[in-house]
Amino acid sequence: MAATDTAARSARWLRGFMARWRARSPRALRAAAGLALAAGAAQAVTLPEDKAEAMYHLYDGGGTRAHGPALLVRKGLGDRYAVSAFYNVDAVSNASIDVVTTASPYSERRTEYGLGLDYVHRDSLMSLSTTRSTEPDYEANSLGLDVSQDVFGGMTTVSLGFTRAWDKVGRSDVGFFDEARHWRYRVGVTQILTPRWIASLNAEAVSDSGYLGNPYRVARVFGAAVPERHPRTRTSRAIKGRVTGAIGSDAAVHAEYRYFWDTWDITAHTLEVGYSRYVREDTLVDGFLRYHRQSKALFYSDNATAETTYISRNRQLSTFQSPSVGVKLSYRAKRVPGRYELKAHAAYEYKLYDFKDFTDIRTGRPYSYNANVFQVYLSATF
């Protein structure tokens, strides 16, 4: 389970890549805005396009390496329904600082798969999805429902969503011993401002209960190792705003800001800016800069001077900052209008983690590391 957080971040980055790319594409922006303005109230919501994707992804940083294939297929059933299936594998080898200072490096395999159903009714799109991921000492399951509604002639889209998740937590030496429950609520508004600019505002609330720590990690009290103890409840909230606009005929820019806070006294700020441009008719280049900053949890301590009810030395709950830079390339290999389109994609992101109050006990200095994230995949719409 020590690699669960890293593998999960890698999988979420992987699944969200295509959605972010489409949101930044200047031609997708112009098409969406122009269609809404021209068609007005007569424009109804349509199903997502039929698609198949095959991907290889790699996360390498801080002594942890997670890589593997991912597959996605989505197919419409008539004009109102579409089904989708997702499969992802992470082969994880972990020699992170937590592992090498308290245990021995290890390898494990994480498998995730999911199913989805979309339904369109007039100006509404309803999506039902379920996912399941398994690894030797952790099982995660979720069921989600999302509804989006176009209003004001398609100029505004309002979305609501809810996800219920339940996990089984274990250790390799004792088996499964506890559970965790998660409730996620989200709401968002996307507004076409002009034929060239779109803005969105999204909010999410998450409630967690059960075992919310990691049974392998230890904290330090006067230099002695003790088992970590986390509260069994946590509530967090986040708000994110984003603006995307077309610049000229073949370029677009975007900017977004996210603010996060929770009942563990953590606050976080994330700022991102990016630029997209077609360098040729069939080639899109997308670059971005991101900066993340987080404060520590109330019960976090690098080396506590007193025994308390809750204690943690999980560096993800410490004070740190993480700048990153990324670039993506998309090439349209073949297109037959009205029939199919084939594309090849490649993406790279470099991330730096700089911890302010987490010490590398091997050197006595604040810990930092960098991570590299790669993706290469093929996509086909038909």
Side-chain angles (χ1 to χ4, degrees), residues 229-292:
R229 299 184 298 273
H230 289 187
R232 292 184 64 87
T233 60
R234 182 184 188 183
T235 300
S236 61
R237 297 175 178 84
I239 299 176
K240 183 175 75 172
R242 180 186 178 97
V243 177
T244 305
I247 304 296
S249 60
D250 291 303
V253 293
H254 79 270
E256 66 177 50
Y257 169 74
R258 181 177 184 267
Y259 176 65
F260 169 94
W261 72 102
D262 71 3
T263 53
W264 289 4
D265 206 29
I266 295 175
T267 59
H269 307 265
T270 306
L271 178 65
E272 178 178 315
V273 293
Y275 177 77
S276 304
R277 185 175 185 84
Y278 277 94
V279 295
R280 299 192 334 182
E281 181 68 22
D282 55 6
T283 305
L284 175 69
V285 177
D286 184 0
F288 68 90
L289 297 171
R290 184 185 301 119
Y291 177 76
H292 176 82

Side-chain angles (χ1 to χ4, degrees), residues 91-352:
V92 181
S93 58
N94 197 346
S96 66
I97 186 172
D98 301 302
V99 174
V100 298
T101 56
T102 60
S104 300
Y106 67 91
S107 299
E108 65 183 21
R109 178 187 175 97
R110 173 182 173 273
T111 303
E112 180 185 18
Y113 50 91
L115 297 172
L117 174 65
D118 297 319
Y119 170 68
V120 167
H121 179 70
R122 295 184 179 177
D123 292 331
S124 299
L125 173 64
M126 289 160 275
S127 301
L128 181 67
S129 62
T130 181
T131 63
R132 175 177 173 80
S133 70
T134 60
E135 51 193 289
D137 49 12
Y138 204 90
E139 292 183 2
N141 303 274
S142 70
L143 181 65
L145 176 64
D146 289 271
V147 179
S148 63
Q149 173 74 44
D150 283 357
V151 295
F152 304 122
M155 298 291 292
T156 305
T157 300
V158 180
S159 59
L160 299 171
F162 169 72
T163 298
R164 175 75 166 88
W166 55 100
D167 307 337
K168 292 177 63 178
V169 185
R171 279 182 57 118
S172 59
D173 53 348
V174 299
F176 292 106
F177 66 89
D178 211 332
E179 297 180 340
R181 298 288 184 267
H182 315 279
W183 295 262
R184 297 183 176 93
Y185 307 87
R186 48 195 173 271
V187 59
V189 177
T190 300
Q191 177 66 46
I192 297 177
L193 303 175
T194 74
R196 303 174 69 85
W197 290 89
I198 294 177
S200 64
L201 182 64
N202 295 274
E204 182 181 54
V206 181
S207 179
D208 305 309
S209 67
Y211 192 91
L212 305 179
N214 187 317
Y216 295 99
R217 286 198 177 101
V218 297
R220 290 198 302 165
V221 179
F222 288 109
V226 300
E228 285 192 338
R229 299 184 298 273
H230 289 187
R232 292 184 64 87
T233 60
R234 182 184 188 183
T235 300
S236 61
R237 297 175 178 84
I239 299 176
K240 183 175 75 172
R242 180 186 178 97
V243 177
T244 305
I247 304 296
S249 60
D250 291 303
V253 293
H254 79 270
E256 66 177 50
Y257 169 74
R258 181 177 184 267
Y259 176 65
F260 169 94
W261 72 102
D262 71 3
T263 53
W264 289 4
D265 206 29
I266 295 175
T267 59
H269 307 265
T270 306
L271 178 65
E272 178 178 315
V273 293
Y275 177 77
S276 304
R277 185 175 185 84
Y278 277 94
V279 295
R280 299 192 334 182
E281 181 68 22
D282 55 6
T283 305
L284 175 69
V285 177
D286 184 0
F288 68 90
L289 297 171
R290 184 185 301 119
Y291 177 76
H292 176 82
R293 187 184 70 198
Q294 174 183 298
S295 65
K296 68 179 181 179
L298 184 65
F299 51 88
Y300 172 83
S301 179
D302 188 40
N303 188 12
T305 57
E307 187 77 26
T308 56
T309 302
Y310 304 115
I311 182 71
S312 176
R313 196 174 177 265
N314 181 353
R315 66 180 184 276
Q316 298 300 330
L317 302 181
S318 70
T319 305
F320 70 91
Q321 60 183 2
S322 176
S324 61
V325 58
V327 62
K328 307 179 181 77
L329 178 68
S330 178
Y331 171 70
R332 188 178 65 210
K334 189 173 181 60
R335 178 172 181 264
V336 178
R339 296 181 59 189
Y340 66 88
E341 183 177 76
L342 300 177
K343 288 184 177 181
H345 311 264
Y348 169 72
E349 181 176 1
Y350 175 83
K351 301 173 68 70
L352 175 65

